[in-house]
PDB file of all heavy atoms in Angstrom:
ATOM      1  N   ALA A1409       7.176  10.342  -0.315  1.00  0.00           N
ATOM      2  CA  ALA A1409       5.797  11.026  -0.007  1.00  0.00           C
ATOM      3  C   ALA A1409       4.716  10.290  -0.881  1.00  0.00           C
ATOM      4  O   ALA A1409       3.647  10.019  -0.250  1.00  0.00           O
ATOM      5  CB  ALA A1409       5.881  12.493  -0.379  1.00  0.00           C
ATOM      6  N   ALA A1410       4.963   9.938  -2.093  1.00  0.00           N
ATOM      7  CA  ALA A1410       3.932   9.322  -2.867  1.00  0.00           C
ATOM      8  C   ALA A1410       3.615   7.914  -2.322  1.00  0.00           C
ATOM      9  O   ALA A1410       2.437   7.497  -2.278  1.00  0.00           O
ATOM     10  CB  ALA A1410       4.435   9.147  -4.339  1.00  0.00           C
ATOM     11  N   ASN A1411       4.619   7.245  -1.821  1.00  0.00           N
ATOM     12  CA  ASN A1411       4.249   5.927  -1.230  1.00  0.00           C
ATOM     13  C   ASN A1411       3.660   5.944   0.138  1.00  0.00           C
ATOM     14  O   ASN A1411       2.733   5.139   0.483  1.00  0.00           O
ATOM     15  CB  ASN A1411       5.562   5.058  -1.204  1.00  0.00           C
ATOM     16  CG  ASN A1411       6.051   4.586  -2.480  1.00  0.00           C
ATOM     17  OD1 ASN A1411       5.462   3.704  -2.943  1.00  0.00           O
ATOM     18  ND2 ASN A1411       7.154   5.125  -2.956  1.00  0.00           N
ATOM     19  N   VAL A1412       3.953   6.988   0.906  1.00  0.00           N
ATOM     20  CA  VAL A1412       3.221   7.178   2.120  1.00  0.00           C
ATOM     21  C   VAL A1412       1.774   7.399   1.856  1.00  0.00           C
ATOM     22  O   VAL A1412       0.886   6.951   2.661  1.00  0.00           O
ATOM     23  CB  VAL A1412       3.843   8.247   3.008  1.00  0.00           C
ATOM     24  CG1 VAL A1412       2.962   8.805   4.093  1.00  0.00           C
ATOM     25  CG2 VAL A1412       5.159   7.843   3.451  1.00  0.00           C
ATOM     26  N   PHE A1413       1.429   8.114   0.758  1.00  0.00           N
ATOM     27  CA  PHE A1413       0.043   8.341   0.345  1.00  0.00           C
ATOM     28  C   PHE A1413      -0.759   6.999   0.202  1.00  0.00           C
ATOM     29  O   PHE A1413      -1.824   6.678   0.626  1.00  0.00           O
ATOM     30  CB  PHE A1413      -0.064   9.095  -0.861  1.00  0.00           C
ATOM     31  CG  PHE A1413      -1.522   9.379  -1.277  1.00  0.00           C
ATOM     32  CD1 PHE A1413      -2.174  10.601  -0.881  1.00  0.00           C
ATOM     33  CD2 PHE A1413      -2.250   8.487  -2.011  1.00  0.00           C
ATOM     34  CE1 PHE A1413      -3.442  10.870  -1.284  1.00  0.00           C
ATOM     35  CE2 PHE A1413      -3.517   8.765  -2.375  1.00  0.00           C
ATOM     36  CZ  PHE A1413      -4.194  10.003  -1.970  1.00  0.00           C
ATOM     37  N   LEU A1414      -0.015   6.071  -0.500  1.00  0.00           N
ATOM     38  CA  LEU A1414      -0.522   4.737  -0.623  1.00  0.00           C
ATOM     39  C   LEU A1414      -0.834   4.006   0.715  1.00  0.00           C
ATOM     40  O   LEU A1414      -1.834   3.401   0.770  1.00  0.00           O
ATOM     41  CB  LEU A1414       0.345   3.808  -1.494  1.00  0.00           C
ATOM     42  CG  LEU A1414       0.743   4.331  -2.836  1.00  0.00           C
ATOM     43  CD1 LEU A1414       1.499   3.189  -3.613  1.00  0.00           C
ATOM     44  CD2 LEU A1414      -0.557   4.698  -3.692  1.00  0.00           C
ATOM     45  N   ASP A1415       0.061   4.186   1.566  1.00  0.00           N
ATOM     46  CA  ASP A1415      -0.111   3.550   2.967  1.00  0.00           C
ATOM     47  C   ASP A1415      -1.322   4.132   3.607  1.00  0.00           C
ATOM     48  O   ASP A1415      -2.161   3.405   4.175  1.00  0.00           O
ATOM     49  CB  ASP A1415       1.066   3.795   3.766  1.00  0.00           C
ATOM     50  CG  ASP A1415       2.402   3.247   3.179  1.00  0.00           C
ATOM     51  OD1 ASP A1415       2.299   2.409   2.320  1.00  0.00           O
ATOM     52  OD2 ASP A1415       3.494   3.676   3.620  1.00  0.00           O
ATOM     53  N   ALA A1416      -1.485   5.492   3.474  1.00  0.00           N
ATOM     54  CA  ALA A1416      -2.631   6.141   4.015  1.00  0.00           C
ATOM     55  C   ALA A1416      -3.942   5.762   3.392  1.00  0.00           C
ATOM     56  O   ALA A1416      -5.004   5.697   4.050  1.00  0.00           O
ATOM     57  CB  ALA A1416      -2.400   7.667   4.030  1.00  0.00           C
ATOM     58  N   LEU A1417      -3.846   5.640   2.049  1.00  0.00           N
ATOM     59  CA  LEU A1417      -5.135   5.215   1.309  1.00  0.00           C
ATOM     60  C   LEU A1417      -5.575   3.767   1.724  1.00  0.00           C
ATOM     61  O   LEU A1417      -6.755   3.550   1.842  1.00  0.00           O
ATOM     62  CB  LEU A1417      -4.773   5.172  -0.195  1.00  0.00           C
ATOM     63  CG  LEU A1417      -5.968   4.689  -1.117  1.00  0.00           C
ATOM     64  CD1 LEU A1417      -7.110   5.698  -0.866  1.00  0.00           C
ATOM     65  CD2 LEU A1417      -5.534   4.729  -2.543  1.00  0.00           C
ATOM     66  N   ALA A1418      -4.651   2.935   2.125  1.00  0.00           N
ATOM     67  CA  ALA A1418      -4.976   1.661   2.561  1.00  0.00           C
ATOM     68  C   ALA A1418      -5.808   1.687   3.914  1.00  0.00           C
ATOM     69  O   ALA A1418      -6.865   1.042   4.135  1.00  0.00           O
ATOM     70  CB  ALA A1418      -3.709   0.689   2.803  1.00  0.00           C
ATOM     71  N   HIS A1419      -5.250   2.594   4.757  1.00  0.00           N
ATOM     72  CA  HIS A1419      -5.989   2.743   6.094  1.00  0.00           C
ATOM     73  C   HIS A1419      -7.407   3.424   5.761  1.00  0.00           C
ATOM     74  O   HIS A1419      -8.429   3.015   6.451  1.00  0.00           O
ATOM     75  CB  HIS A1419      -5.178   3.688   6.990  1.00  0.00           C
ATOM     76  CG  HIS A1419      -3.973   2.951   7.651  1.00  0.00           C
ATOM     77  ND1 HIS A1419      -4.143   2.242   8.663  1.00  0.00           N
ATOM     78  CD2 HIS A1419      -2.668   3.022   7.318  1.00  0.00           C
ATOM     79  CE1 HIS A1419      -2.887   1.672   9.095  1.00  0.00           C
ATOM     80  NE2 HIS A1419      -2.029   2.165   8.219  1.00  0.00           N
ATOM     81  N   HIS A1420      -7.497   4.334   4.825  1.00  0.00           N
ATOM     82  CA  HIS A1420      -8.740   5.040   4.577  1.00  0.00           C
ATOM     83  C   HIS A1420      -9.702   4.010   4.078  1.00  0.00           C
ATOM     84  O   HIS A1420     -10.876   4.016   4.512  1.00  0.00           O
ATOM     85  CB  HIS A1420      -8.426   6.177   3.490  1.00  0.00           C
ATOM     86  CG  HIS A1420      -9.588   6.762   3.004  1.00  0.00           C
ATOM     87  ND1 HIS A1420     -10.401   7.709   3.779  1.00  0.00           N
ATOM     88  CD2 HIS A1420     -10.301   6.653   1.814  1.00  0.00           C
ATOM     89  CE1 HIS A1420     -11.468   8.133   2.989  1.00  0.00           C
ATOM     90  NE2 HIS A1420     -11.417   7.406   1.875  1.00  0.00           N
ATOM     91  N   ARG A1421      -9.305   3.211   3.113  1.00  0.00           N
ATOM     92  CA  ARG A1421     -10.260   2.172   2.577  1.00  0.00           C
ATOM     93  C   ARG A1421     -10.750   1.202   3.735  1.00  0.00           C
ATOM     94  O   ARG A1421     -11.946   0.924   3.763  1.00  0.00           O
ATOM     95  CB  ARG A1421      -9.589   1.345   1.489  1.00  0.00           C
ATOM     96  CG  ARG A1421      -9.381   2.047   0.153  1.00  0.00           C
ATOM     97  CD  ARG A1421      -8.763   1.266  -0.848  1.00  0.00           C
ATOM     98  NE  ARG A1421      -9.476   0.056  -1.110  1.00  0.00           N
ATOM     99  CZ  ARG A1421     -10.428  -0.126  -2.043  1.00  0.00           C
ATOM    100  NH1 ARG A1421     -10.845   0.896  -2.771  1.00  0.00           N
ATOM    101  NH2 ARG A1421     -11.023  -1.310  -2.172  1.00  0.00           N
ATOM    102  N   ARG A1422      -9.855   0.775   4.548  1.00  0.00           N
ATOM    103  CA  ARG A1422     -10.288  -0.173   5.582  1.00  0.00           C
ATOM    104  C   ARG A1422     -11.279   0.513   6.583  1.00  0.00           C
ATOM    105  O   ARG A1422     -12.159  -0.103   7.066  1.00  0.00           O
ATOM    106  CB  ARG A1422      -9.069  -0.789   6.220  1.00  0.00           C
ATOM    107  CG  ARG A1422      -8.243  -1.715   5.367  1.00  0.00           C
ATOM    108  CD  ARG A1422      -6.918  -2.115   5.928  1.00  0.00           C
ATOM    109  NE  ARG A1422      -7.155  -2.933   7.013  1.00  0.00           N
ATOM    110  CZ  ARG A1422      -7.107  -4.353   6.919  1.00  0.00           C
ATOM    111  NH1 ARG A1422      -6.788  -4.908   5.755  1.00  0.00           N
ATOM    112  NH2 ARG A1422      -7.239  -5.101   8.020  1.00  0.00           N
ATOM    113  N   ALA A1423     -10.959   1.776   6.782  1.00  0.00           N
ATOM    114  CA  ALA A1423     -11.905   2.487   7.748  1.00  0.00           C
ATOM    115  C   ALA A1423     -13.309   2.607   7.193  1.00  0.00           C
ATOM    116  O   ALA A1423     -14.264   2.836   7.912  1.00  0.00           O
ATOM    117  CB  ALA A1423     -11.363   3.872   7.938  1.00  0.00           C
ATOM    118  N   HIS A1424     -13.353   2.413   5.811  1.00  0.00           N
ATOM    119  CA  HIS A1424     -14.778   2.589   5.163  1.00  0.00           C
ATOM    120  C   HIS A1424     -15.249   1.223   4.704  1.00  0.00           C
ATOM    121  O   HIS A1424     -16.170   1.078   3.884  1.00  0.00           O
ATOM    122  CB  HIS A1424     -14.679   3.428   3.931  1.00  0.00           C
ATOM    123  CG  HIS A1424     -14.521   4.932   4.308  1.00  0.00           C
ATOM    124  ND1 HIS A1424     -13.348   5.521   4.718  1.00  0.00           N
ATOM    125  CD2 HIS A1424     -15.505   5.903   4.413  1.00  0.00           C
ATOM    126  CE1 HIS A1424     -13.623   6.752   5.053  1.00  0.00           C
ATOM    127  NE2 HIS A1424     -14.894   7.028   4.792  1.00  0.00           N
ATOM    128  N   GLY A1425     -14.572   0.049   5.356  1.00  0.00           N
ATOM    129  CA  GLY A1425     -15.103  -1.232   5.062  1.00  0.00           C
ATOM    130  C   GLY A1425     -14.671  -1.838   3.806  1.00  0.00           C
ATOM    131  O   GLY A1425     -15.257  -2.829   3.393  1.00  0.00           O
ATOM    132  N   LEU A1426     -13.690  -1.248   3.187  1.00  0.00           N
ATOM    133  CA  LEU A1426     -13.228  -1.818   1.853  1.00  0.00           C
ATOM    134  C   LEU A1426     -11.862  -2.433   2.086  1.00  0.00           C
ATOM    135  O   LEU A1426     -11.064  -2.209   2.901  1.00  0.00           O
ATOM    136  CB  LEU A1426     -13.038  -0.608   0.842  1.00  0.00           C
ATOM    137  CG  LEU A1426     -14.210   0.261   0.550  1.00  0.00           C
ATOM    138  CD1 LEU A1426     -13.827   1.453  -0.308  1.00  0.00           C
ATOM    139  CD2 LEU A1426     -15.269  -0.612  -0.224  1.00  0.00           C
ATOM    140  N   PRO A1427     -11.670  -3.547   1.295  1.00  0.00           N
ATOM    141  CA  PRO A1427     -10.321  -4.313   1.360  1.00  0.00           C
ATOM    142  C   PRO A1427      -9.156  -3.393   0.899  1.00  0.00           C
ATOM    143  O   PRO A1427      -9.323  -2.603  -0.092  1.00  0.00           O
ATOM    144  CB  PRO A1427     -10.613  -5.453   0.453  1.00  0.00           C
ATOM    145  CG  PRO A1427     -11.525  -5.001  -0.596  1.00  0.00           C
ATOM    146  CD  PRO A1427     -12.552  -4.017   0.210  1.00  0.00           C
ATOM    147  N   ALA A1428      -8.031  -3.526   1.584  1.00  0.00           N
ATOM    148  CA  ALA A1428      -6.855  -2.817   1.210  1.00  0.00           C
ATOM    149  C   ALA A1428      -5.707  -3.345   1.997  1.00  0.00           C
ATOM    150  O   ALA A1428      -5.826  -3.608   3.145  1.00  0.00           O
ATOM    151  CB  ALA A1428      -6.983  -1.299   1.421  1.00  0.00           C
ATOM    152  N   ALA A1429      -4.589  -3.449   1.285  1.00  0.00           N
ATOM    153  CA  ALA A1429      -3.275  -3.737   1.928  1.00  0.00           C
ATOM    154  C   ALA A1429      -2.219  -3.058   1.167  1.00  0.00           C
ATOM    155  O   ALA A1429      -2.062  -3.248  -0.054  1.00  0.00           O
ATOM    156  CB  ALA A1429      -3.106  -5.254   1.870  1.00  0.00           C
ATOM    157  N   SER A1430      -1.402  -2.246   1.859  1.00  0.00           N
ATOM    158  CA  SER A1430      -0.226  -1.543   1.241  1.00  0.00           C
ATOM    159  C   SER A1430       1.011  -2.317   1.699  1.00  0.00           C
ATOM    160  O   SER A1430       1.214  -2.580   2.868  1.00  0.00           O
ATOM    161  CB  SER A1430      -0.242  -0.087   1.778  1.00  0.00           C
ATOM    162  OG  SER A1430       0.843   0.644   1.095  1.00  0.00           O
ATOM    163  N   LEU A1431       1.799  -2.657   0.695  1.00  0.00           N
ATOM    164  CA  LEU A1431       3.035  -3.457   0.955  1.00  0.00           C
ATOM    165  C   LEU A1431       4.252  -2.517   0.607  1.00  0.00           C
ATOM    166  O   LEU A1431       4.447  -2.216  -0.481  1.00  0.00           O
ATOM    167  CB  LEU A1431       3.144  -4.689   0.028  1.00  0.00           C
ATOM    168  CG  LEU A1431       2.056  -5.849   0.376  1.00  0.00           C
ATOM    169  CD1 LEU A1431       0.745  -5.471  -0.251  1.00  0.00           C
ATOM    170  CD2 LEU A1431       2.519  -7.143  -0.227  1.00  0.00           C
ATOM    171  N   ALA A1432       4.952  -2.213   1.669  1.00  0.00           N
ATOM    172  CA  ALA A1432       6.146  -1.258   1.464  1.00  0.00           C
ATOM    173  C   ALA A1432       7.397  -2.167   1.255  1.00  0.00           C
ATOM    174  O   ALA A1432       8.082  -2.521   2.071  1.00  0.00           O
ATOM    175  CB  ALA A1432       6.322  -0.413   2.751  1.00  0.00           C
ATOM    176  N   TRP A1433       7.447  -2.428  -0.155  1.00  0.00           N
ATOM    177  CA  TRP A1433       8.536  -3.389  -0.453  1.00  0.00           C
ATOM    178  C   TRP A1433       9.904  -2.888  -0.283  1.00  0.00           C
ATOM    179  O   TRP A1433      10.284  -1.670  -0.351  1.00  0.00           O
ATOM    180  CB  TRP A1433       8.378  -3.662  -2.024  1.00  0.00           C
ATOM    181  CG  TRP A1433       7.088  -4.550  -2.323  1.00  0.00           C
ATOM    182  CD1 TRP A1433       6.012  -4.076  -2.879  1.00  0.00           C
ATOM    183  CD2 TRP A1433       6.971  -5.898  -2.047  1.00  0.00           C
ATOM    184  NE1 TRP A1433       5.085  -5.100  -3.060  1.00  0.00           N
ATOM    185  CE2 TRP A1433       5.633  -6.232  -2.587  1.00  0.00           C
ATOM    186  CE3 TRP A1433       7.687  -6.940  -1.537  1.00  0.00           C
ATOM    187  CZ2 TRP A1433       5.136  -7.522  -2.520  1.00  0.00           C
ATOM    188  CZ3 TRP A1433       7.231  -8.252  -1.507  1.00  0.00           C
ATOM    189  CH2 TRP A1433       5.920  -8.495  -2.031  1.00  0.00           C
ATOM    190  N   GLY A1434      10.917  -3.784  -0.068  1.00  0.00           N
ATOM    191  CA  GLY A1434      12.337  -3.540  -0.147  1.00  0.00           C
ATOM    192  C   GLY A1434      12.741  -3.868  -1.590  1.00  0.00           C
ATOM    193  O   GLY A1434      11.904  -3.998  -2.531  1.00  0.00           O
ATOM    194  N   LEU A1435      14.030  -3.889  -1.703  1.00  0.00           N
ATOM    195  CA  LEU A1435      14.590  -4.128  -3.079  1.00  0.00           C
ATOM    196  C   LEU A1435      14.443  -5.475  -3.607  1.00  0.00           C
ATOM    197  O   LEU A1435      14.500  -6.457  -2.865  1.00  0.00           O
ATOM    198  CB  LEU A1435      16.098  -3.847  -3.012  1.00  0.00           C
ATOM    199  CG  LEU A1435      16.967  -4.032  -4.377  1.00  0.00           C
ATOM    200  CD1 LEU A1435      16.517  -2.986  -5.367  1.00  0.00           C
ATOM    201  CD2 LEU A1435      18.394  -3.974  -4.098  1.00  0.00           C
ATOM    202  N   TRP A1436      13.998  -5.646  -4.879  1.00  0.00           N
ATOM    203  CA  TRP A1436      13.777  -6.978  -5.428  1.00  0.00           C
ATOM    204  C   TRP A1436      15.085  -7.316  -6.306  1.00  0.00           C
ATOM    205  O   TRP A1436      15.695  -6.471  -6.757  1.00  0.00           O
ATOM    206  CB  TRP A1436      12.574  -6.970  -6.488  1.00  0.00           C
ATOM    207  CG  TRP A1436      11.250  -7.008  -5.804  1.00  0.00           C
ATOM    208  CD1 TRP A1436      10.745  -6.065  -4.809  1.00  0.00           C
ATOM    209  CD2 TRP A1436      10.254  -8.045  -5.972  1.00  0.00           C
ATOM    210  NE1 TRP A1436       9.469  -6.529  -4.451  1.00  0.00           N
ATOM    211  CE2 TRP A1436       9.236  -7.717  -5.132  1.00  0.00           C
ATOM    212  CE3 TRP A1436      10.284  -9.180  -6.693  1.00  0.00           C
ATOM    213  CZ2 TRP A1436       8.028  -8.549  -5.013  1.00  0.00           C
ATOM    214  CZ3 TRP A1436       9.127 -10.021  -6.575  1.00  0.00           C
ATOM    215  CH2 TRP A1436       8.098  -9.644  -5.718  1.00  0.00           C
ATOM    216  N   GLU A1437      15.317  -8.617  -6.241  1.00  0.00           N
ATOM    217  CA  GLU A1437      16.576  -9.119  -6.972  1.00  0.00           C
ATOM    218  C   GLU A1437      16.397  -8.896  -8.454  1.00  0.00           C
ATOM    219  O   GLU A1437      17.425  -8.586  -9.247  1.00  0.00           O
ATOM    220  CB  GLU A1437      16.750 -10.624  -6.633  1.00  0.00           C
ATOM    221  CG  GLU A1437      18.035 -11.220  -6.960  1.00  0.00           C
ATOM    222  CD  GLU A1437      18.106 -12.652  -6.439  1.00  0.00           C
ATOM    223  OE1 GLU A1437      17.458 -13.552  -7.108  1.00  0.00           O
ATOM    224  OE2 GLU A1437      18.742 -12.849  -5.399  1.00  0.00           O
ATOM    225  N   GLN A1438      15.297  -9.195  -9.001  1.00  0.00           N
ATOM    226  CA  GLN A1438      15.054  -9.133 -10.550  1.00  0.00           C
ATOM    227  C   GLN A1438      14.945  -7.651 -10.902  1.00  0.00           C
ATOM    228  O   GLN A1438      14.157  -6.836 -10.361  1.00  0.00           O
ATOM    229  CB  GLN A1438      13.744  -9.860 -10.865  1.00  0.00           C
ATOM    230  CG  GLN A1438      13.517  -9.836 -12.456  1.00  0.00           C
ATOM    231  CD  GLN A1438      12.335 -10.699 -12.726  1.00  0.00           C
ATOM    232  OE1 GLN A1438      11.920 -11.615 -11.963  1.00  0.00           O
ATOM    233  NE2 GLN A1438      11.722 -10.446 -13.898  1.00  0.00           N
ATOM    234  N   ALA A1439      15.794  -7.162 -11.788  1.00  0.00           N
ATOM    235  CA  ALA A1439      15.766  -5.811 -12.258  1.00  0.00           C
ATOM    236  C   ALA A1439      14.507  -5.458 -12.906  1.00  0.00           C
ATOM    237  O   ALA A1439      13.855  -6.203 -13.676  1.00  0.00           O
ATOM    238  CB  ALA A1439      16.999  -5.516 -13.162  1.00  0.00           C
TER     239      ALA A1439
END
């Protein structure tokens, strides 16, 4: 739920002419 908020915030910023990109990462190799 918290990460979906970040995705929504990216859309919100872009709708207001602000730069934003939300990256829904998978697992990283480095712990």
Side-chain angles (χ1 to χ4, degrees):
N1411 283 290
V1412 169
F1413 182 95
L1414 299 188
D1415 303 340
L1417 178 60
H1419 284 281
H1420 173 77
R1421 284 181 56 90
R1422 291 171 71 92
H1424 288 78
L1426 300 172
S1430 186
L1431 290 80
W1433 291 104
L1435 180 66
W1436 283 62
E1437 195 174 76
Q1438 182 176 338

